[in-house]
Amino acid sequence: MSLIDPTNHGAFVRCVEDLIDTPQVQSMRTLPHHPGVNCFEHSIFVAYIAFRLARRWGLDYMACARAGLLHDLYLYRWNDQSAHPGLQCFDHPEFALRNAEKLTRLSKLERNIILAHMWPLAFHLPRSREAWVVSLADKICATTEVFQLFRHLKLRAVLAA
């Protein structure tokens, strides 16, 4: 089974099409994230994996796709200490939530997904199966990126185009 197939890819794009081309989301392309991956690529990867898992498990896949895309919308360089007061892993979910709320109207579910995606490192507990799914997807994608497997999956060309 291919990770990217036309049916799922089209449904995924429909979930995020109002967000994907906004200047805020596109600006994540300029922010480095994990080795060889920018913040946009990471976020779209998380959103797609969360979408696929949620869809397979009968969950709110639209909320997973949208919040997955916005979960790292913190819009500063993670290593810029003047941009955030403490440690990046603790701070960025709240910055991402504030930026996402300026960009679009979020449901209570989407808010918790964004805030809780760093659990257990951050302080917000996932309060839904969807929040657990995005948190899991984030960890799967981050691991794939840190070990530089992302480029071997050939997802970059399809998802981040």
Side-chain angles (χ1 to χ4, degrees):
M1 179 177 86
S2 172
L3 197 56
I4 302 288
D5 69 71
T7 303
N8 280 309
H9 186 259
F12 170 72
V13 169
R14 285 189 295 281
C15 290
V16 298
E17 65 188 345
D18 63 320
L19 301 171
I20 199 87
D21 289 326
T22 63
Q24 296 90 330
V25 171
Q26 287 297 313
S27 74
M28 291 193 300
R29 290 180 185 273
T30 66
L31 300 172
H33 202 63
H34 296 131
V37 178
N38 64 46
C39 194
F40 177 84
E41 290 168 330
H42 168 74
S43 294
I44 200 114
F45 188 24
V46 169
Y48 186 73
I49 297 303
F51 163 83
R52 290 287 307 265
L53 292 172
R55 196 167 184 190
R56 175 171 295 238
W57 295 334
L59 302 176
D60 186 341
Y61 58 85
M62 180 172 272
C64 288
R66 295 173 67 77
L69 180 63
L70 302 174
H71 82 282
D72 278 343
L73 191 70
Y74 49 84
L75 302 180
Y76 56 78
R77 291 190 176 277
W78 67 267
N79 58 353
D80 179 359
Q81 291 296 312
S82 67
H84 58 94
L87 294 172
Q88 169 69 2
C89 66
F90 300 120
D91 292 347
H92 82 271
E94 293 182 15
F95 282 85
L97 177 62
R98 274 186 251 152
N99 290 329
E101 286 179 322
K102 290 176 189 173
L103 180 62
T104 190
R105 187 173 185 185
L106 299 172
S107 68
K108 184 177 178 181
L109 176 61
E110 291 166 330
R111 279 190 208 87
N112 180 250
I113 291 170
I114 293 168
L115 280 175
H117 81 271
M118 283 301 292
W119 191 86
L121 294 177
F123 307 112
H124 299 279
L125 183 68
R127 301 201 180 279
S128 65
R129 290 178 290 176
E130 289 82 358
W132 285 104
V133 165
V134 173
S135 184
L136 173 64
D138 186 42
K139 285 149 186 62
I140 289 168
C141 295
T143 301
T144 301
E145 294 159 0
V146 167
F147 287 105
Q148 299 185 12
L149 301 172
F150 180 69
R151 60 191 164 106
H152 297 297
L153 295 174
K154 299 179 183 172
L155 293 172
R156 177 178 275 162
V158 177
L159 291 177

